[in-house]
Amino acid sequence: MIKGVIFDLDGVITDTAELHYSAWKALCEEMGWHFDRQLNESLRGISRLDSIRTIMHHNKASLDPDRIAELAERKNKIYVESLGGMTEEDFLPGARELLTHLRNEGFGVALGSSSKNAVKVLQQLNAIRYFDFIGDGNTVAKSKPAPDIFLHAAAQLKLPPNRCLVFEDAEKGIDAAKAGGFHCVGIGPEERVGHADIRFDSMKEATLFEVKSHFKDLF
Ligand code: G6P
Ligand code: MG
C-alpha cells in the first residue's frame, strides 16, 4: 500500500525553470557562451555543478574547478535574487490542492529536490508546513539520476520505496525514481517523462483521484 509521496520541487510544486534560464543566460552572456531554452531544458533536475559542466561542454569551454565553482556561485546569486518576488500565488496549478488532499488523508509527504535553494523556495510559497521531511541539494552527495535523494526521503518517512510515489518533471528524475524502486508519476511531455508509470501533461491533471485510479491496487 502506498503511504508516502515524495515531490520534486522545480517543475512540480512551482515553475522555476524560467528563473534558472534567466540566471544562466546572464552568466553565459558575461562569459560569451551560447545558451538557449533547449540547453536550459537539458538542465532540468540536475545539480548546479552538473549544470555548469553541461553548459561548458556544450560551449567546448574548460576552466579550473575553483573558477567553475565561482561562476556557479555567481549564477546562484542572480537566481536567489529573483526568488524574492515569489509568493503563494506561484504554486503550479493543482500542486497546493494535491498537497492538501494528501495531508488530509494522512499520507507521509516529503520533498526530494536537487536544489540547494529548496527551503528558500518553499518559504516563499509558504509551503514548509506541507512536508514531513525536506530533502534538498544539501541532503545527499550523489544527485539525480542517482536514486539517493528519494531513498533518503523514504527512509525519513520510515517507508520502503515500493510504498512511496514520486512526482517528477525531469527525465533524470524519473530515472532516479525507477533506479530506487519507486512508483512514479511524470509531469510533462511524453518525450521527457514517458518512462514514468503514469504521465500527466501538468499538475492540474494530476489529482489524487486520478492518481489513485491509476494505481488502484496500491491504494
Ligand atoms: C533543480 C532544477 C535544476 C537546478 C537544480 C539545482 O533540480 O530542476 O534546473 O539546476 O535544481 O538548483 P540550485 O537551486 O541548487 O542551483
Ligand atoms: Mg524538477
Side-chain angles (χ1 to χ4, degrees):
M1 297 289 280
I2 288 173
K3 285 285 168 206
V5 181
I6 306 171
F7 286 90
D8 172 51
L9 176 67
D10 298 307
V12 172
I13 305 283
T14 184
D15 186 16
T16 49
E18 198 55 32
L19 301 179
H20 279 294
Y21 171 79
S22 304
W24 283 125
K25 182 85 184 157
L27 180 78
C28 288
E29 270 168 13
E30 270 179 46
M31 297 301 293
W33 292 342
H34 173 258
F35 187 72
D36 60 16
R37 287 180 194 279
Q38 199 187 336
L39 188 50
N40 192 52
E41 270 301 305
S42 72
L43 308 181
R44 214 175 256 268
I46 64 173
S47 71
R48 196 181 311 155
L49 272 182
D50 286 344
S51 298
I52 193 163
R53 287 192 197 109
T54 303
I55 294 169
M56 288 175 58
H57 179 78
H58 179 87
N59 282 277
K60 299 186 175 60
S62 86
L63 293 169
D64 67 60
D66 285 353
R67 179 80 173 128
I68 295 173
E70 189 189 303
L71 293 179
E73 185 48 42
R74 185 129 104 237
K75 177 267 174 181
N76 191 51
K77 261 206 167 126
I78 303 170
Y79 175 66
V80 170
E81 260 168 42
S82 71
L83 291 177
M86 187 179 264
T87 72
E88 282 191 63
E89 303 302 307
D90 292 308
F91 274 96
L92 275 169
R96 183 165 37 189
E97 292 76 2
L98 179 59
L99 287 165
T100 304
H101 285 158
L102 289 167
R103 299 257 40 149
N104 289 346
E105 295 200 11
F107 287 91
V109 178
L111 192 82
S113 168
S114 306
S115 172
K116 294 190 171 173
N117 296 299
V119 170
K120 162 92 177 148
V121 171
L122 291 180
Q123 279 167 344
Q124 294 290 132
L125 295 169
N126 193 17
I128 298 276
R129 60 205 159 117
Y130 295 110
F131 295 91
D132 297 300
F133 172 74
I134 294 169
D136 65 11
N138 304 298
T139 307
V140 293
K142 272 208 263 168
S143 57
K144 301 167 191 175
D148 301 31
I149 185 68
F150 296 137
L151 291 171
H152 187 91
Q156 293 296 315
L157 294 176
K158 300 192 169 48
L159 291 168
N162 64 3
R163 297 190 68 193
C164 296
L165 199 56
V166 168
F167 277 74
E168 253 296 345
D169 69 306
E171 182 181 353
K172 293 191 175 70
I174 298 293
D175 294 342
K178 292 183 92 168
F182 293 87
H183 306 285
C184 56
V185 178
I187 305 297
E190 176 73 29
E191 58 272 24
R192 199 169 77 206
V193 291
H195 53 320
D197 297 323
I198 178 176
R199 183 194 72 79
F200 297 98
D201 287 331
S202 75
M203 282 297 282
K204 211 157 70 188
E205 288 89 50
T207 61
L208 187 50
F209 178 82
E210 284 297 327
V211 169
K212 278 185 175 177
S213 318
H214 179 81
F215 292 99
K216 45 183 170 306
D217 301 338
L218 293 171
F219 279 95

